[in-house]
Amino acid sequence: MKYLKTIYLLLCCALTLGACSDDDENSASGALSITTPTYTNVGYNKVTLSANISGSEGVNIVKRGFCYSTESNPSIYDTTDEVRGTEISTTLTGLSQQTTYYARAFVTLYNEEPKYSEEISFTTPTETLNDELAEYEAPTYVDDYTGFSAWSNRYQWNLANVHDPTVMKADDGYYYMYQTDASYGNAHNGNGHFHARRSKDLVNWEYLGATMSETPPTWIKEKLNAYRQEMGLEPIDNPSYGYWAPVARKVSTGKYRMYYSIVITNYIKTGKPEIENNGNFDNSWGERAFIGLMETSDPASNIWEDKGYVVCSASDKEMTDYGRNSTSDWNAYFKINAIDPTYIITTSGEHWLIYGSWHNGIAALQLNAEDGKPLNALGDPWKITGENNSGYGKIIATRGNSRWQASEGPEIIYRDGYYYLFLAYGTLSVEYNTRVCRSTNIDGPYVDMDGNSAMGSGELYPILTAPYKFNNSYGWVGISHCGVFDDGEGNWFYTSQGRFPVNVGGNEYSNAIMMGHVRSIRWDANGWPLVMPERYGAVPQAPITEAEIAGNWEHLALTTSTGSQRTSETLTYDLSTHKITNGSWQNASWTFDEATQTITTSSGVVLYLQREVDWEATPRTHTIVYAAQGNKKTYWGKKVQ
């Protein structure tokens, strides 16, 4: 009999043949009838069914329940289970959305065929964002990954050990991420360079491996020593290399390019390696950096073909004027530092490389579309002159006349008539922060939201990201050197690393914990980007209602004081008075615009809302956040759950 019951349950629960849901009891009285079922609480994947049994005195009921199917007259097989009771009720789950189902209540009598009620039908609705939000589960991976940071655990990393990420979306629907070699405990050492990941949802990332073998391309050493020979210097037999900050882009269907930077960490004069406090300092600057090019037709293969030299660091001084008085002398030998490339194809089909760091600023270099190399011939990389710096590119952003100006990591995108240039300000360990300016032309002039020129301004606004700390967390520092990308459907994202502050949990090396961050971007009414304060977690974007705004929010302001983390205060939004009842915005009034999903305060600041993950909650869940700009500040907020 148990064998018959197993067959019965398998057949009843097969959706295409008819499925049963039941509750076993016994009954013992009367003639029997079954009412026509009723259905309630119809969702995109569930329904509640109810029916009643009457006249059951003296009847031996062994099974009761419902049969359902996508075809009419669903049926069941007999069992020997005994049941009791006169009400039949159950909730069916696992249904398909926008599908018509047929259902009948049934009662199985001992040694007889089943008896059925009249049939009903119902149609499940299309799944809604509110349905998805109710069932949403937040990411659970940990941020302090020191317990599995080693190379042997690389397939568990997800976004652990990510630094200076660049992201592109490929033809296969995956987002591909590439990065600087930096890692906690130098886990990447000896395992190749420019490591890759991919993801379908920007939340769960699969580690793919290095895109470049452990041995760098031979052209780098050859080019380096050819220049050294022209400068009257001895060759460097074993250069020390640093592998920094690539950018990857789709060029056309089946063609992808990656520009990468390799820094030679040896002194120019003697060729000795730059190792801190080892006595090798020879009163010269460090050697030049090189930008190279790789291509692939299939990023999933992670096989890239090296295409060689693109550009190198270039100086506006004489060939031999590379002396440095001391390690505190910041009058850099190179005018343009060939690191941190970013790449764009303009609306007119021109190809441009934007690159540079610290030194005299950021350069724009036009490329040949066919091979990705400079469109015009490069001059000798010493004593460069003119607006185009002897072919090495036009300076489009600089923080002044200083040759060491704490600006790096450019990123360039195009949106709605503007080229947006994102820049990293400050030093990496804590104060790293992101600024943005824009121009209608790829080579400038670029201005910030207040109309200040990117050529010589001490500060550009808005501030998009900076060190911060919400309650119940250590917060993040070093949040910049970004990649900015879209999904092809109008949704834009910001990616960078985030670092832990120093001495988290007693770990003196915690500032070297680097987690890849992806954040959503909203664009304000004037076309300036707002980076969301919480990391992206694929939260369904069900419309936010005014009632949800009421309550406590954590609120903070990002300012030019980026040497320490900005901490949050509590603001309370009162729904009955439409006032903020405490905190630095106390007594300010607010209004909500459902169409634009914004809050406007009486001071004129417009808060752009979005659903994101509350990463500091335990357990993590979805919440509402906002970002806003005003008074040379960026405001971030998070609804307290």
Side-chain angles (χ1 to χ4, degrees), residues 44 97 126-133:
Y44 75 94
Q97 62 177 318
T126 301
E127 183 179 12
T128 68
L129 287 171
N130 284 327
D131 292 327
E132 295 179 40
L133 192 62

Side-chain angles (χ1 to χ4, degrees), residues 27-40:
S27 177
S29 63
L32 180 143
S33 65
I34 311 170
T35 62
T36 302
T38 59
Y39 60 89
T40 58

Side-chain angles (χ1 to χ4, degrees), residues 619-640:
R620 292 171 182 157
T621 184
H622 60 84
T623 188
I624 306 170
V625 301
Y626 62 66
Q629 293 156 352
N631 308 313
K632 298 189 183 301
K633 299 176 181 178
T634 289
Y635 300 105
W636 277 357
K638 179 184 72 169
K639 178 74 183 295
V640 178

Side-chain angles (χ1 to χ4, degrees), residues 468-470 530-535 544 552-558 567-571 573 585 599 605-614 616 623-629 634-641:
Y468 75 99
K469 179 182 181 296
F470 282 130
L530 289 156
V531 176
M532 292 296 110
E534 290 280 44
R535 288 171 283 163
I544 297 164
N552 293 332
W553 291 71
E554 289 190 55
H555 170 90
L556 56 84
L558 305 180
T567 56
S568 63
E569 61 172 335
T570 299
L571 302 184
Y573 286 73
W585 286 4
I599 297 171
V605 175
V606 180
L607 312 176
Y608 287 76
L609 303 171
Q610 190 142 302
R611 296 191 189 275
E612 297 293 350
V613 176
D614 187 340
E616 292 77 35
T623 188
I624 306 170
V625 301
Y626 62 66
Q629 293 156 352
T634 289
Y635 300 105
W636 277 357
K638 179 184 72 169
K639 178 74 183 295
V640 178
Q641 298 301 298

Side-chain angles (χ1 to χ4, degrees), residues 204-340:
N204 301 290
W205 292 84
E206 172 192 5
Y207 176 77
L208 297 180
T211 62
M212 180 183 285
S213 68
E214 184 62 20
T215 303
T218 57
W219 66 261
I220 300 172
K221 179 179 175 181
E222 292 168 358
K223 198 75 174 174
L224 168 70
N225 284 327
Y227 284 142
R228 289 182 64 82
Q229 184 176 10
E230 288 190 64
M231 296 171 71
L233 298 167
E234 293 295 319
I236 300 176
D237 293 330
N238 296 296
S240 298
Y241 300 103
Y243 301 82
W244 291 359
V247 62
R249 294 282 192 266
K250 175 184 172 181
V251 179
S252 59
T253 301
K255 186 174 185 178
Y256 305 85
R257 283 180 177 155
M258 184 192 300
Y259 291 89
Y260 58 88
S261 53
I262 294 185
V263 179
I264 309 301
T265 58
N266 300 74
Y267 290 110
I268 295 175
K269 183 177 179 180
T270 61
K272 292 181 179 180
E274 292 184 74
I275 303 173
E276 188 175 0
N277 300 321
N278 71 341
N280 281 353
F281 178 63
D282 60 8
N283 290 104
S284 72
W285 281 86
E287 258 294 359
R288 69 190 67 246
F290 293 89
I291 292 176
L293 171 63
M294 295 189 288
E295 291 184 349
T296 189
S297 61
D298 179 18
S301 72
N302 206 30
I303 298 172
W304 292 76
E305 180 182 0
D306 196 83
K307 296 294 184 177
Y309 172 70
V310 177
V311 71
C312 70
S313 301
S315 176
D316 57 347
K317 299 185 178 184
E318 296 293 344
M319 183 188 294
T320 57
D321 191 13
Y322 47 74
R324 189 180 188 189
N325 295 326
S326 70
T327 54
S328 59
D329 171 13
W330 304 112
N331 188 28
Y333 172 60
F334 294 110
K335 179 179 181 180
I336 304 175
N337 192 11
I339 67 169
D340 298 350

Side-chain angles (χ1 to χ4, degrees), residues 88-144:
I88 313 173
S89 181
T90 193
T91 297
L92 306 179
T93 60
L95 306 182
S96 298
Q97 62 177 318
Q98 212 169 3
T99 301
T100 298
Y101 286 92
Y102 300 89
R104 296 192 289 179
F106 76 89
V107 172
T108 302
L109 306 177
Y110 179 72
N111 229 12
E112 295 184 24
E113 292 295 317
K115 294 185 180 294
Y116 299 99
S117 70
E118 293 294 319
E119 180 181 85
I120 60 165
S121 65
F122 59 90
T123 301
T124 55
T126 301
E127 183 179 12
T128 68
L129 287 171
N130 284 327
D131 292 327
E132 295 179 40
L133 192 62
E135 298 181 0
Y136 175 75
E137 295 183 6
T140 58
Y141 62 81
V142 298
D143 291 329
D144 186 351

